[in-house]
Each structure stands twice: as C-alpha cells, then as structure tokens.
Amino acid sequence: MNKSILKLTFCRRTAYNALPLAMVVGTILNLINQGERVLAGTGVSWPHVFLNYLVPYCVASYAAARNESQKGCCNVCKRNLEDD
C-alpha cells in the first residue's frame, strides 16, 4: 500500500518528531527577527511569531513524510528484486 505524502505529513509520528524541531528553530528565528522589539519592550508581530514556528514545522513534516515515502518505495523495489 502506497501512502500519500500528505497523509504521512499529518500522521502522529511525523508531527511528534517535527514539533520539537519547529520549537527550537522557530524560537531562534523569532529571536533573530524580533529580538530588538522584545528587548525594547515594543511588542512583537504575532503573525510573524506564528509563521516563524509554522514554516519550520511544515519543512520538517514534509521532509519526514518524503523520507518515509521513499523508504516505502525502496522496500517495495527491494522485495520485487528479491522475488525475481
């Protein structure tokens, strides 16, 4: 059975692994992009905060799903070669 990348992207295991990475990278991006505002006490742009966490999560989820998809394909190919 071939799972779609979209389905793998939203699977619990993928999300569980992508979330810690997104938290670390998102925090670093927020410090880089809005550090001056935080230190000055002028407030932050909440849409940018959200995007700084969302983008790394999407990248990590997609990469994990793509990896799982390719592993499945390779395993199928290996079985087909062994059967011959």
Side-chain angles (χ1 to χ4, degrees):
M1 180 178 170
N2 188 7
K3 294 182 180 179
S4 71
I5 290 179
L6 187 60
K7 187 174 182 180
L8 286 168
T9 301
F10 292 106
C11 113
R12 183 179 300 206
R13 181 174 148 204
T14 302
Y16 181 77
N17 290 326
L19 193 58
L21 179 66
M23 296 301 290
V24 171
V25 174
T27 300
I28 292 168
L29 287 173
N30 277 310
L31 289 173
I32 291 169
N33 294 329
Q34 301 193 67
E36 287 183 25
R37 288 180 171 185
V38 171
L39 293 175
T42 59
V44 296
S45 168
W46 291 107
H48 288 113
V49 170
F50 175 72
L51 289 173
N52 282 334
Y53 286 105
L54 179 65
V55 170
Y57 177 80
C58 291
V59 170
S61 296
Y62 176 77
R66 177 84 178 184
N67 183 42
E68 287 296 317
S69 174
Q70 288 177 349
K71 279 197 314 191
C73 176
C74 292
N75 289 336
V76 170
C77 293
K78 287 178 186 175
R79 279 189 297 236
N80 289 339
L81 289 173
E82 290 171 358
D83 291 341
D84 289 342

